Amino acid sequence: MKVDIVTIFPTFFDVLDVSLLGKAAATKLVDVAIHDLRDATTDVHKSVDDTPYGGGAGMVMKPEPWGVTLDGLLEDDSILLVPSPAGVVFSQDMARELAAGSHLVFACGRYEGIDSRVVEHYQQTHRVIEVSLGDYVLNGGEVAVLAILEATLRLIPGFVGNPESLVEESHEAGLLEYPSYTKPRSWRGLDVPEVLLGGNHEAIRQWRYERSLERTKRARPDLLED
Ligand code: 6GU
């Protein structure tokens, strides 16, 4: 998979070198490139934003540098992702869809967002997803891209050491994951549940399912609605 990230803060993504992407196996599975939006500006100040039409607080990112940069990056099968608190909420389902793609292009907006015509324009030729992490506001799309990338790349076969660890985890079955324990059996007066100490795999499976259901009911009742 190929990933291109456009940002006015390229160093924000230095962290990719020390996280999942730093692993040798990962670099063969995914090719990530970071692009500075300001490289596509033509004025001495390298300005990427301007005041909003209609008035109001804050600045809006100008469409021209985005047009130049994205024209140079997008291919026929690219998916364009635009992080925004006004987007659809990112999910494990979306991560699975993205993991099956061949080319992801992330457009990180800052300030009050990117001129709306940029999304409108590329929707005419490409799959464009305005994507949000949830109901709160970040200063820009960079943190969201790191989260979306990590959730997506770990679903690519070979990216995660043990593929079985992907099966029984939160959100894979629409439920939160059951609680986990390791040695010692007793710690500060708290004991590991007895059922996990025996070898009855059916009893363990049943116990874990019940704990998953109980946890989901308590923390995320909305997940049980459908
Ligand atoms: Cl994707 N961007 C920004 N700026 N804020 C957010 C977000 C994204 N998701 C939640 N809040």
Side-chain angles (χ1 to χ4, degrees), residues 82-88 109-111 130-145 148:
V82 184
S84 161
V88 296
R110 279 265 149 179
Y111 316 119
E130 288 182 274
V131 56
S132 167
L133 285 193
D135 297 336
Y136 45 84
V137 178
L138 305 169
N139 283 332
E142 284 79 6
V143 165
V145 170
I148 292 165

Side-chain angles (χ1 to χ4, degrees), residues 19-178:
S19 67
L20 280 179
L21 294 181
K23 308 226 169 87
T27 57
K28 292 196 192 86
L29 295 169
V30 61
D31 176 14
V32 182
I34 314 297
H35 310 272
D36 189 340
L37 182 69
R38 290 192 202 276
D39 291 347
T41 56
T42 50
D43 62 309
V44 284
H45 298 109
K46 296 185 180 290
S47 56
V48 290
D49 61 335
D50 208 335
T51 54
Y53 274 119
M59 300 289 268
V60 177
M61 291 188 112
K62 298 155 63 65
E64 301 96 319
W66 283 109
V68 169
T69 307
L70 295 174
D71 283 351
L73 293 175
L74 288 168
E75 293 160 24
D76 289 348
D77 61 349
S78 308
I79 299 176
L80 176 59
L81 290 131
V82 184
S84 161
V88 296
V89 175
F90 185 62
S91 64
Q92 193 69 13
D93 282 343
M94 199 191 292
R96 266 189 294 268
E97 184 198 338
L98 298 181
S102 59
H103 185 208
L104 308 180
V105 178
F106 289 93
C108 298
R110 279 265 149 179
Y111 316 119
E112 310 307 308
I114 303 172
D115 186 303
S116 273
R117 289 169 294 184
V118 173
V119 163
E120 203 181 318
H121 173 73
Y122 288 104
Q123 271 173 343
Q124 294 167 10
T125 50
H126 289 84
R127 174 141 168 72
V128 181
I129 309 174
E130 288 182 274
V131 56
S132 167
L133 285 193
D135 297 336
Y136 45 84
V137 178
L138 305 169
N139 283 332
E142 284 79 6
V143 165
V145 170
L146 289 174
I148 292 165
L149 257 189
E150 184 157 321
T152 299
L153 296 182
R154 63 193 292 284
L155 298 181
I156 293 177
F159 211 97
V160 164
N162 175 9
E164 274 179 41
S165 70
L166 294 176
V167 179
E168 294 194 14
E169 66 185 5
S170 292
H171 300 294
E172 274 302 325
L175 294 176
L176 302 185
E177 195 181 13
Y178 51 77

